[in-house]
Each structure stands twice: as structure tokens, then as C-alpha cells.
């Protein structure tokens, strides 16, 4: 009797796809959608709490999410190109995003490009926006990892640990092996490290730390987003070391490990050199927010530098100083007196 017969391992779901007529309901897509919704709702609350305009996060997401999905897929295909373009591969499957395969680095990069475009359109600073949505994005990533559980993917090497994950044999309706779309036969192919679960738990811990740091310290100008990136990279680096599925390597090291290390260094460098403190809440208002113009036109601003508050009659008293330092009102009064004297002389 082997240890596999004795220990109670974590079972995998029997299937990850349910067919309702011609419609295929995929757990992977469902959890990605749930993650996006959570990120938008929580991110908007955080943005408003920092002084931003309500609804901004949803408007930015309209740009960022499509860009992010495209970037995630491009990164996955680029780093796993042999699966689609190598011997026995099917290039058209590179477009099958619903079958899984989204690289987080590509998603964050192109998603950031989409967010930058949206932020420019609304007249808000991208770094401040990143600080607000950083923790929600990481929580969305954690939720998305549940989809990997249903797909029986992103797992690690074989293990005999009690928390090992059972990977089932899955077949389609005709009895052919179909690990992604098929249904379990109940036969356990192997027991492995649930590395997707490790990453999920690590991400939740980092989210909690980011929220604590954000509440405890005055941090802004993209530095909290940099901490999110650095924290995630640190966890992803050691998770990658536990995986043994096929991946593109450089000098025998998985390319995702290289990427994690490089981005970690860049994120830490940004955190160190970026502006300290937090942005003025007034600068976070969108250009279509009614308060945006009010904030820009406050007394003391460039448009009101030479105006005093209006009196009870509603008239505005304008004050100023001439180039040689004399009071403009005094000069006007002198001119009036001279005009009166000349008028009386001529009369």
C-alpha cells in the first residue's frame, strides 16, 4: 500500500466545463469575470476614498480589461509558442483564450497601457490610480487562480504531502482523453503540489499587507502599486521553482522566473526613487466632475489671484498693484481729481 492510498489528498473538480445546449459554461472564464467585478467595485471605493470621482474605475476598466486580456494572451503564446507553432501544434488555438493561458506580465503591461489612455482622457494621474486599484487587482488575480483549479493546470511536481492535489483522468463524450474539457473518470493520474493554490494564498497575504501599509502610512505616486508588483513577483518566483510542466527556459531556468526577478528589481527601484507622500485629492477629480472646475477656481488659484470676495451688492472689487509698486486704486483716484480740476477750469 502506498502513501497515496493512506493520505487524504485534495481532490480536483470532476470537470471545468458545463454544456447547456450549444453554450459552454467555463469555470475559468467565470472566475476571471468575478475577479474583474470585485476589482472594479472595490477599486472604485478606494479611488473615491482618496478623492477621485465615483465611477472612474469602471470607465478605465473599459479600456484596461480588453488591453489586459490581449496582453496576457500574447505573453502566454510568446513564452509557450511551441505548443501552438511547434511540431504537432495548431496555430489557430493561439486564439482560444477560453481554454486557459493568460500571462500576468503581459496582462499588467498592456492593461497598464489601456489604463494610461483612459486616465489621460479623464485628466487623472495614472500612478495615483494604480495605488487605488493595486490591491483589488491582486485580489482579482487570486480569484482567477480558482479557475486554474477547475482546469487542472498550473500545478507543481509530484508530492506525498497531505495537501497534495489529485489530478484526474478526464475524457470527452466519445471516451477520448480531454484534460481540459472532459469529465473525470475517477482515476487519479498523479498527486502534485497545488502551486496555483500557493500563489492564491500568497496573493491574499500580500493584499492584506498592502491595505495595512496604505492605511498606516501616507503612500502615493504609484509607490503602493510598485509594492503590489514586487510582492507578487517575490511569490511567483518561488512558485515557479516548484512547477515542472512544460515551459520555455533560458539556461535551464523557466522564463517566468527570469521575468519575476527582473520586474521585482524594477518595482523596488521605482518605490525607492518615486515621489514620497500622497497626491492632493483635488488633483484626482476627473475632468467631467462638477467639483473639478470648482477646485481649479478656488481663491488663490491662477484665475482668482487678483480678485477679492464680492461684497453684498454682488459686485467684485478688483485690486492690484502697478509695475512700480503703487496702488492702482490710488492712481485712479488721482486721475479722477485731475479730470475734475481740468473740467472746472475749462468751464
Amino acid at each position: 500500500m502506498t502513501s497515496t492510498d493512506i493520505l487524504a489528498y485534495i481532490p480536483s473538480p470532476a470537470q471545468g466545463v458545463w454544456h447547456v445546449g450549444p453554450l459552454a459554461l467555463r469555470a475559468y472564464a467565470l472566475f476571471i469575470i468575478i475577479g474583474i467585478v470585485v476589482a472594479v467595485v472595490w477599486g472604485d471605493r478606494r479611488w473615491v476614498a482618496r478623492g477621485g470621482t465615483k465611477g472612474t474605475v469602471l470607465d478605465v476598466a473599459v479600456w484596461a480589461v480588453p488591453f489586459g486580456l490581449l496582453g496576457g494572451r500574447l505573453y502566454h503564446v510568446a513564452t509557450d509558442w511551441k505548443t501552438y507553432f511547434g511540431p504537432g501544434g495548431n496555430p489557430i488555438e493561439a486564439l482560444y483564450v477560453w481554454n486557459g493561458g493568460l500571462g500576468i506580465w503581459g496582462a499588467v503591461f498592456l492593461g497598464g497601457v489601456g489604463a494610461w489612455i483612459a486616465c489621460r482622457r479623464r485628466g487623472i494621474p495614472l500612478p495615483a490610480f494604480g495605488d487605488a486599484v493595486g490591491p483589488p487587482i491582486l485580489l482579482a488575480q487570486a480569484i482567477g487562480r480558482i479557475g486554474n483549479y477547475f482546469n487542472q493546470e498550473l500545478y507543481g511536481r509530484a508530492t506525498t504531502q497531505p495537501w497534495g492535489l489529485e489530478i484526474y483522468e478526464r475524457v470527452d463524450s466519445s471516451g477520448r482523453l480531454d484534460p481540459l474539457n472532459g469529465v473525470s473518470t475517477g482515476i487519479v493520474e498523479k498527486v502534485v503540489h497545488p502551486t496555483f493554490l500557493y500563489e492564491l494564498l500568497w496573493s491574499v497575504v500580500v493584499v492584506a499587507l498592502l491595505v495595512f501599509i496604505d492605511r498606516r502610512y501616507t503612500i502615493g505616486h504609484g509607490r503602493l502599486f510598485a509594492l503590489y508588483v514586487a510582492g507578487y513577483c517575490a511569490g511567483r518566483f518561488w512558485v515557479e521553482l516548484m512547477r515542472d510542466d512544460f515551459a520555455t527556459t533560458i539556461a535551464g531556468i523557466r522564463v517566468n522566473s527570469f521575468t519575476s526577478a527582473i520586474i521585482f528589481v524594477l518595482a523596488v527601484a521605482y518605490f525607492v526613487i518615486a515621489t514620497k507622500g500622497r497626491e492632493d485629492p483635488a488633483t484626482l477629480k476627473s475632468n467631467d466632475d462638477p467639483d473639478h472646475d470648482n477646485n481649479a477656481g478656488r481663491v488663490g488659484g491662477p484665475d482668482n489671484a487678483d480678485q477679492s470676495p464680492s461684497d453684498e451688492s454682488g459686485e467684485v472689487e478688483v485690486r492690484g498693484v502697478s509695475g512700480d509698486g503703487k496702488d492702482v486704486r490710488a492712481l485712479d483716484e488721482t486721475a479722477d481729481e485731475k479730470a475734475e480740476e481740468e473740467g472746472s477750469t475749462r468751464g
Side-chain angles (χ1 to χ4, degrees):
M1 182 177 294
T2 65
S3 58
T4 305
D5 300 319
I6 299 175
L7 300 177
Y9 294 115
I10 301 173
S12 291
Q15 63 193 99
V17 182
W18 293 264
H19 295 275
V20 181
L23 181 63
L25 302 178
R26 300 177 182 275
Y28 182 79
L30 174 63
F31 284 103
I32 287 180
I33 293 172
I34 293 175
I36 292 173
V37 172
V38 170
V40 169
V41 173
W42 186 25
D44 200 59
R45 292 180 180 178
R46 285 177 51 82
W47 180 244
V48 171
R50 297 172 92 88
T53 304
K54 184 175 179 60
T56 297
V57 174
L58 179 58
D59 292 339
V60 174
V62 171
W63 286 83
V65 171
F67 273 71
L69 291 175
L70 176 61
R73 190 60 178 178
L74 289 175
Y75 180 89
H76 167 74
V77 173
T79 57
D80 196 14
W81 63 272
K82 291 182 180 179
T83 299
Y84 307 99
F85 304 102
N90 186 3
I92 192 63
E93 291 184 358
L95 303 176
Y96 295 172
V97 65
W98 53 86
N99 284 342
L102 291 174
I104 186 61
W105 311 121
V108 171
F109 177 74
L110 272 192
V113 172
W116 174 75
I117 295 173
C119 286
R120 281 185 60 86
R121 289 167 58 90
R122 297 185 67 88
I124 57 177
L126 178 62
F129 183 83
D131 288 333
V133 301
I137 289 176
L138 185 53
L139 182 59
Q141 291 176 220
I143 294 173
R145 286 299 177 221
I146 302 176
N148 299 133
Y149 172 56
F150 280 86
N151 275 5
Q152 290 193 144
E153 60 184 358
L154 299 188
Y155 50 78
R157 296 186 296 272
T159 182
T160 57
Q161 297 295 337
W163 56 84
L165 177 71
E166 294 177 335
I167 299 299
Y168 296 147
E169 177 188 76
R170 288 179 175 178
V171 298
D172 60 17
S173 57
S174 61
R176 291 176 298 184
L177 291 177
D178 190 347
L180 188 62
N181 301 300
V183 178
S184 170
T185 63
I187 298 176
V188 179
E189 293 184 337
K190 51 188 172 182
V191 179
V192 296
H193 278 286
T195 48
F196 70 87
L197 178 61
Y198 300 161
E199 184 178 324
L200 186 160
L201 296 176
W202 174 264
S203 296
V204 171
V205 170
V206 175
V207 168
L209 288 175
L210 291 174
V211 171
F212 170 78
I213 293 172
D214 197 32
R215 291 179 177 177
R216 179 68 177 80
Y217 303 99
T218 303
I219 185 170
H221 299 284
R223 298 175 75 229
L224 189 71
F225 189 85
L227 287 181
Y228 141 61
V229 173
Y232 175 77
C233 287
R236 183 62 183 266
F237 182 82
W238 64 264
V239 166
E240 283 291 326
L241 297 178
M242 302 183 69
R243 292 173 56 182
D244 66 350
D245 55 326
F246 173 79
T248 303
T249 60
I250 301 176
I253 301 176
R254 298 169 69 95
V255 67
N256 281 335
S257 295
F258 273 106
T259 306
S260 297
I262 293 171
I263 296 180
F264 174 84
V265 172
L266 294 176
V268 172
Y270 179 89
F271 178 81
V272 172
I273 66 177
T275 304
K276 308 299 187 295
R278 184 172 294 181
E279 299 83 355
D280 181 353
T283 65
L284 308 186
K285 296 294 183 183
S286 299
N287 49 25
D288 60 350
D289 191 316
D291 291 337
H292 182 272
D293 294 335
N294 294 337
N295 290 329
R298 289 176 180 172
V299 175
D303 295 334
N304 295 336
D306 295 327
Q307 293 185 4
S308 65
S310 59
D311 59 17
E312 294 180 356
S313 65
E315 298 178 351
V316 178
E317 180 183 10
V318 180
R319 298 176 181 175
V321 179
S322 65
D324 56 2
K326 295 181 180 181
D327 192 306
V328 173
R329 289 188 304 167
L331 294 176
D332 290 342
E333 291 174 357
T334 302
D336 292 341
E337 291 176 356
K338 289 182 177 180
E340 291 178 359
E341 292 178 355
E342 292 177 359
S344 61
T345 302
R346 293 174 183 175

